[in-house]
Amino acid sequence: MAVVVNKPIPEFDALATGQVKVSHQTHLGQAVVLYFYPKDNTPGCTTEAMQFRDRYKDFEKLGAAVFGVSRDNMKSHDDFKAKLELPFELIADTEEKMCHMFGVVKNKIMYGKKVKGIERSTFLIGPDGILKHEWRGLKVPGHVDEVLKEVKALKRAGATAVKEAASKEAVATDADVTPA
């Protein structure tokens, strides 16, 4: 089942560095950023990982979890994470289950040959498990700031919804009180 904006994320289970289990349910109540990248230790992927690393505290302050996802194995991810001192976990999708579910596996032409590769993409999942935003075929420069901006907007929208619900509840409570 493919992902669709404004729809719940389909069921999935994955293992990340640090033996962290990640599923469609493990982070309910928290925004989640999943960024898919082609390969550990390549120039663009290293730059992207460092940019998420450098802004990680901003994501954390907003209550958002960040995970990198690629087809690399756990050993590669552990080495990449340690080398770059990444504060977030990397999901090893060696069987490409998440890559296919999120539709990031694409045919590419490399050195004149058709190869299957990962299209650099990022997905923002809301605290309710609904896919809120997606970026596909993106360019690294400025991307992390764009994702952070959407996480802030999501946080503001959530805070506004909570205030409106509390206000409606207060009005309903006031209406239930009968004068003596």
Side-chain angles (χ1 to χ4, degrees):
M1 183 177 197
V3 297
V4 179
V5 174
N6 295 322
K7 298 283 186 192
I9 292 296
E11 292 182 19
F12 74 90
D13 288 296
L15 188 61
T17 50
Q19 296 300 305
V20 173
K21 291 182 180 174
V22 182
S23 78
H24 61 289
Q25 294 184 319
T26 53
H27 291 81
L28 285 175
Q30 178 180 31
V32 175
V33 175
L34 292 176
Y35 79 92
F36 288 78
Y37 62 98
K39 190 159 180 54
D40 291 343
N41 293 303
T42 56
C45 299
T46 297
T47 299
E48 183 177 28
M50 290 187 322
Q51 289 178 0
F52 272 108
R53 175 199 67 198
D54 294 347
R55 299 304 301 268
Y56 181 73
K57 286 195 184 309
D58 296 323
F59 285 101
E60 201 173 40
K61 284 178 193 167
L62 294 167
V66 175
F67 293 96
V69 185
S70 81
R71 301 180 300 181
D72 294 300
N73 63 36
M74 200 60 76
K75 167 89 171 92
S76 177
H77 276 347
D78 284 334
D79 294 346
F80 188 55
K81 183 177 185 233
K83 176 181 168 184
L84 298 180
E85 299 178 358
L86 301 178
F88 51 85
E89 306 303 334
L90 302 175
I91 296 171
D93 190 28
T94 56
E95 296 177 12
E96 300 179 354
K97 289 179 182 177
M98 287 182 70
C99 290
H100 283 290
M101 184 174 85
F102 282 85
V104 299
V105 178
K106 302 289 181 186
N107 288 322
K108 299 178 175 185
I109 304 294
M110 189 177 273
Y111 305 113
K113 286 185 175 180
K114 190 189 267 189
V115 296
K116 188 170 60 166
I118 301 301
E119 178 183 53
R120 191 177 311 280
S121 305
T122 301
F123 301 87
L124 174 58
I125 303 164
D128 53 2
I130 305 289
L131 179 62
K132 300 297 184 181
H133 201 93
E134 65 181 12
W135 295 263
R136 295 181 179 272
L138 59 94
K139 301 293 182 217
V140 173
H143 174 63
V144 172
D145 290 332
E146 198 175 317
V147 175
L148 188 58
K149 181 179 162 187
E150 286 298 322
V151 172
K152 285 178 184 173
L154 183 61
K155 180 84 170 177
R156 275 193 308 273
T160 301
V162 168
K163 284 180 186 173
E164 287 175 1
S167 177
K168 285 180 184 175
E169 189 174 305
V171 168
T173 303
D174 290 345
D176 292 341
V177 175
T178 50

